Amino acid sequence: GAVVSQHPSWVICKSGTSVKIECRSLDFQATTMFWYRQFPKQSLMLMATSNEGSKATYEQGVEKDKFLINHASLTLSTLTVTSAHPEDSSFYICSATHADRGNQPQHFGDGTRLSIL
Amino acid sequence: KQEVTQIPAALSVPEGENLVLNCSFTDSAIYNLQWFRQDPGKGLTSLLLIQSSQREQTSGRLNASLDKSSGRSTLYIAASQPGDSATYLCAVRNQDSNYQLIWGAGTKLIIKP
């Protein structure tokens, strides 16, 4: 089945650091990738939708200058948390799909746990 | 605006029992509905996907049903095992969405040995 790889799985860094998270589709071309944030014991919150070759569409309340998304190729999207602060600590998950796979399940990465000290 | 609700929020049952998890949605104009499993601190595993034209899907001990007109889906787990303990999430894709999924809050399932 389709595999989505997310890296790193865990990051601990100091406040003010910028952190980049990668999301790769390993066996299919992902025209669309989604970035989610999940707080403890809560469901997923969609942050942004990323289409290959175009600017990401951010959900209301998500700062695009804070959470930079790049989807430059059909197999890779990155989320950069700029000047991270403790309130940015969370679990970030990506998912990927392709325009021809709309009737198939979305596939998710294993998530990245971000802890800002 | 589509809203997805999962009841109960948590469920604890003895091993071996059959159980049903519920998912309801407010707008019946969906493209499909998907059930996921999430283990603590992990990503999501897709369990079953039901297209809007389908009534149910089965995979092993899991059976998911869909009643689009009433806005409901159920996930039936037969002969539950401790390894089934996880949070189960349902998500719907609307007909007019760019593949976006609308999520329920999940049901945390604990199977007691």
Side-chain angles (χ1 to χ4, degrees), chain A residues 86-101:
Chain A
E87 59 266 27
D88 298 323
S89 298
S90 190
F91 192 59
Y92 294 86
I93 307 177
C94 71
S95 72
T97 189
H98 185 278
D100 293 338
R101 299 168 63 100

Side-chain angles (χ1 to χ4, degrees), chain A residues 36 38 43 102-103 105-106 110, chain B residues 34 38 43 51 93 99 103-104:
Chain A
Y36 295 89
Q38 187 178 32
S43 191
N103 63 343
Q106 283 191 18
D110 285 338
Chain B
Q34 199 165 350
Q38 185 176 30
Q51 304 295 345
R93 179 189 158 191
Y99 311 110
W103 295 86

Side-chain angles (χ1 to χ4, degrees), chain A residues 32 34 36 38 42-44 46 49 51 59 91 93 97-99 102-106 108-111 113, chain B residues 31-32 34 36 38 40-46 48-49 51 89 93 98-101 103-106 108:
Chain A
T32 303
F34 300 92
Y36 295 89
Q38 187 178 32
Q42 295 188 25
S43 191
L44 282 72
L46 180 65
T49 302
N51 291 302
E59 295 300 301
F91 192 59
I93 307 177
T97 189
H98 185 278
N103 63 343
Q104 296 183 29
Q106 283 191 18
F108 286 77
D110 285 338
R113 184 160 302 284
Chain B
Y31 189 85
N32 58 40
Q34 199 165 350
F36 295 88
Q38 185 176 30
K42 301 291 186 181
L44 278 73
T45 301
S46 176
L48 290 164
L49 179 145
Q51 304 295 345
L89 296 158
R93 179 189 158 191
N98 178 25
Y99 311 110
Q100 285 186 19
L101 299 178
W103 295 86
K108 183 175 181 179

